[in-house]
């Protein structure tokens, strides 16, 4: 797996295919491998790049404040290191917020944007903000495995799943706490319409965290209709990769 120096990070990433660059950004308690089933299905003419975020996976480097602008800056540093100017952006959960912030910061570099299970664009609600749960997830591997499975109830519990759970649990607690603090503070709301790039907003019908209503609010802010994927939870990129790639490919094909 390749690694590249980007800012103060040595970024580990997956690299599949050739053509227009697509940067895929994973969620909290996750890693680049959550995109593997999608990368394997990429249509011809696209190069999929999936980095491990700061504090996660095999990427090496110091902590920072983990705010959305800082994580978005990490993303653009990664693109710069690879010599990429314009690209498609795809984000899942926390990664959806990262790519949306990156697009707000540099709309001139975004060809299209697609988000799966986008978090609360008006700030994380108080009832979801649970720092003590992050500690429990880190302290108890069995609880962590059960919690991740509850989020993606239809994902196959194969060798890849077991590897992803182990890698996810290894992330720094500072990164986990930074993520929920960042999501609580991140409130772009209707300013997302300023991105201007063609947008696709997707969510899982059975997602216990990012509800259908939350997904629809993000879609409204971006000025598009939400695409709700039936019969899956938080992670259609693993639970239903064929359907996910079909939606993504149609999105790119509609773009002039």
């Amino acid at each position: 797996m390749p690694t590249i120096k980007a800012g103060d990070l040595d970024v580990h990433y997956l690299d599949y295919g050739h053509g227009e660059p697509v940067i895929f950004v994973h969620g909290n308690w996750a890693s680049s491998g959550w995109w593997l089933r999608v990368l394997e299905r990429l249509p011809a003419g696209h190069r999929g790049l999936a980095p491990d975020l700061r504090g996660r996976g095999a990427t090496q480097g110091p902590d920072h404040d983990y705010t959305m602008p800082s994580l978005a800056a990490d993303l653009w540093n990664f693109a710069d290191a690879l010599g990429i100017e314009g690209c498609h952006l795809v984000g899942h959960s926390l990664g959806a917020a990262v790519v949306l912030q990156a697009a707000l910061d540099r709309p001139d570099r975004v060809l299209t944007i697609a988000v799966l299970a986008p978090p609360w664009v008006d700030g994380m609600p108080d009832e979801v903000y649970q720092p003590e749960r992050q500690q429990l997830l880190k302290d108890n591997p069995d609880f962590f495995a059960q919690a991740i499975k509850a989020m993606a109830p239809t994902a196959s519990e194969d060798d890849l799943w077991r590897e992803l759970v182990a890698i996810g649990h290894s992330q720094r607690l500072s990164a986990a706490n930074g993520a929920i603090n960042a999501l609580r503070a991140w409130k772009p709301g209707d300013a997302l319409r300023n991105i201007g790039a063609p947008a696709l907003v997707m969510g899982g019908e059975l997602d216990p965290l990012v509800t259908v209503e939350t997904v629809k609010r993000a879609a409204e802010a971006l000025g598009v209709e939400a695409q709700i994927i039936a019969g899956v939870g938080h992670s259609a990129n693993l639970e239903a990769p064929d359907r996910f790639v079909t939606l993504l490919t149609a999105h790119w094909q509609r773009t002039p």
Side-chain angles (χ1 to χ4, degrees), residues 16-84:
Y16 276 67
H18 304 276
E20 285 193 335
V22 187
I23 299 180
F24 293 86
V25 183
H26 66 78
N28 195 23
W29 294 109
S31 62
S32 57
W34 284 73
W35 294 112
L36 185 59
R37 298 304 186 217
V38 172
L39 295 171
E40 292 171 341
R41 291 163 167 80
L42 272 186
H46 294 85
R47 179 189 181 191
L49 299 150
D52 287 337
L53 295 179
R54 185 184 295 265
R56 300 166 169 89
T59 287
Q60 298 297 315
D63 286 322
H64 62 16
D65 59 17
Y66 291 103
T67 62
M68 288 309 157
S70 294
L71 291 170
D74 285 347
L75 186 156
W76 290 127
N77 284 339
F78 172 67
D80 290 343
L82 289 168
I84 294 169

Side-chain angles (χ1 to χ4, degrees), residues 83-160:
I84 294 169
E85 181 58 33
C87 59
H88 303 277
L89 294 178
V90 183
H92 173 218
S93 195
L94 170 67
V98 174
V99 300
L100 288 169
Q101 183 63 51
L104 281 170
D105 293 343
R106 291 299 307 272
D108 56 304
R109 299 183 68 172
V110 181
L111 302 177
T112 69
I113 192 161
V115 292
L116 172 65
W120 310 267
V121 300
D122 304 304
M124 175 186 277
D126 289 343
E127 61 269 20
V128 183
Y129 179 75
Q130 298 176 347
E132 67 283 355
R133 182 177 174 85
Q134 306 305 302
Q135 183 72 57
L136 183 57
L137 289 167
K138 188 63 177 175
D139 289 346
N140 190 327
D142 290 337
F143 176 71
F144 176 80
Q146 293 167 10
I148 295 298
K149 183 56 181 174
M151 294 288 287
T154 69
S156 176
E157 296 186 62
D158 54 13
D159 289 343
L160 175 62

Side-chain angles (χ1 to χ4, degrees), residues 180-244:
I180 62 171
N181 289 332
L183 289 171
R184 194 181 196 190
W186 186 67
K187 302 177 182 180
D190 294 327
L192 292 173
R193 193 75 63 93
N194 296 331
I195 292 171
L200 172 65
V201 178
M202 299 165 283
E205 177 190 24
L206 307 179
D207 192 331
L209 178 62
V210 179
T211 64
V212 169
E213 290 72 22
T214 301
V215 175
K216 288 182 176 180
R217 170 62 186 126
E220 176 190 40
L222 283 158
V224 299
E225 184 177 348
Q227 301 296 314
I228 305 302
I229 304 173
V232 301
H234 189 66
S235 303
N237 45 346
L238 273 179
E239 296 177 78
D242 288 318
R243 283 187 281 163
F244 179 83

